[in-house]
Amino acid sequence: MSVWPAWEVREGDGATAWFHVRLVFPDGARVDALAVVAGQGVSLEDVRAVPALSLDDLGALADWIEGPLFAACGREPEVEPEGEAEEAGPRRARPAWPRGVEGRWLIAQEYRAAQEDGVDPVLAVMCATGHSRRKSLRLISQARDAGFLTPRHARR
């Protein structure tokens, strides 16, 4: 993780500081953010991630960067009550999606469930895998080729 200051605004005794933050994960995923440190809180103004973050990961992003941010600006983060701290371990920007036949079968399940619910099946696959629309369409076509989904067009 890299943290570097962007700018700072001082008001009376307090200050609000903006920082650029970059997280690079072992799987090649990357998150760039503009974070604001004001008082004892951290908020995010802009987040760009490749691949896209899930809503759960986006919600946890402030927790991931809080310690290094406060260290960069010379402040101490608020201490969490005992028992509420998450176990530390390697984090990924998105959960690993199984490859091969198992992954194709799961893609087909997501696709069919979205169709039954009346929502966009491609968007459902995008949300489930964390991949772009193009990559999700490729995965859907692979699931079709594997026989887990019906052919797209009727053959004459």
Side-chain angles (χ1 to χ4, degrees):
M1 176 186 299
S2 301
V3 177
W4 63 97
W7 64 89
E8 184 174 359
V9 176
R10 295 193 177 273
E11 286 186 43
D13 295 342
T16 302
W18 283 261
F19 291 88
H20 293 289
V21 179
R22 175 169 290 157
L23 289 94
V24 179
F25 292 88
D27 64 351
R30 191 176 90 189
V31 178
D32 290 313
L34 181 62
V36 180
V37 178
Q40 291 295 318
V42 173
S43 61
L44 299 172
E45 286 200 0
D46 185 34
V47 177
R48 294 178 187 184
V50 176
L53 291 174
S54 69
L55 289 177
D56 293 335
D57 287 342
L58 186 58
L61 182 61
D63 294 335
W64 293 351
I65 65 175
E66 183 180 46
L69 269 176
F70 280 124
C73 64
R75 299 184 200 175
E76 292 292 322
E78 291 181 358
V79 179
E80 292 182 12
E82 282 192 41
E84 291 185 19
E86 257 185 61
E87 290 184 23
R91 293 188 182 247
R92 294 175 49 99
R94 61 181 164 82
W97 192 262
R99 298 181 185 270
V101 175
E102 182 184 359
R104 292 182 188 119
W105 184 81
L106 289 171
I107 295 286
Q109 296 300 319
E110 287 288 334
Y111 189 92
R112 277 194 230 104
Q115 279 183 323
E116 290 171 6
D117 293 343
V119 296
D120 181 13
V122 177
L123 184 60
V125 171
M126 289 171 60
C127 291
T129 62
H131 290 301
S132 68
R133 184 169 187 83
R134 179 176 285 175
K135 176 73 174 185
S136 296
L137 286 168
R138 189 177 311 133
L139 293 171
I140 291 167
S141 69
Q142 290 173 355
R144 283 188 201 289
D145 293 344
F148 295 121
L149 293 170
T150 58
R152 182 73 177 132
H153 302 287
R155 303 207 184 250
R156 296 182 182 195

